[in-house]
Amino acid sequence: MKTPKKFVGCSNRIQLNGESPEFTWIEQYAAVIEQFTKMMGYLPEKPKDFYNQYDIAMYENARWTEEKFGKSIVWAHNGHTAKTNHFVD
């Protein structure tokens, strides 16, 4: 299999094998970029739909942190932690 040109000369490409700490962070950075582009690439008509996407992204990032590092402390504004969405359709 040919190595893509963008990785030719990359001295540590063998170490980034999917299990290294660096690879874990690269995957998470890519996930955050994907979350952002999904939210900004398609702005819903209703603000509540946008904030739902935002809250889901925050939850996914908090879950990732807990899975990788164990116990975590998370704090957020009341609007993000409420059981109901305060936006009216």
Side-chain angles (χ1 to χ4, degrees), residues 19-86:
E19 297 185 22
S20 67
E22 293 87 0
F23 187 80
T24 300
W25 281 104
I26 291 168
E27 276 188 319
Q28 180 60 14
Y29 293 147
V32 170
I33 292 169
E34 181 182 22
Q35 291 166 348
F36 176 79
T37 54
K38 280 182 181 179
M39 287 189 325
M40 300 313 278
Y42 168 72
L43 292 174
E45 291 180 24
K46 300 175 187 173
K48 100 174 195 177
D49 293 339
F50 174 79
Y51 286 105
N52 280 339
Q53 291 175 343
Y54 183 72
D55 289 345
I56 290 168
M58 286 193 297
Y59 163 75
E60 289 172 349
N61 295 331
R63 186 183 69 202
W64 179 86
T65 302
E66 190 273 329
E67 288 173 356
K68 297 300 176 194
F69 301 108
K71 290 184 179 180
S72 302
I73 297 174
V74 177
W75 61 90
H77 187 274
N78 295 348
H80 297 294
T81 60
K83 291 184 180 180
T84 58
N85 191 321
H86 296 288

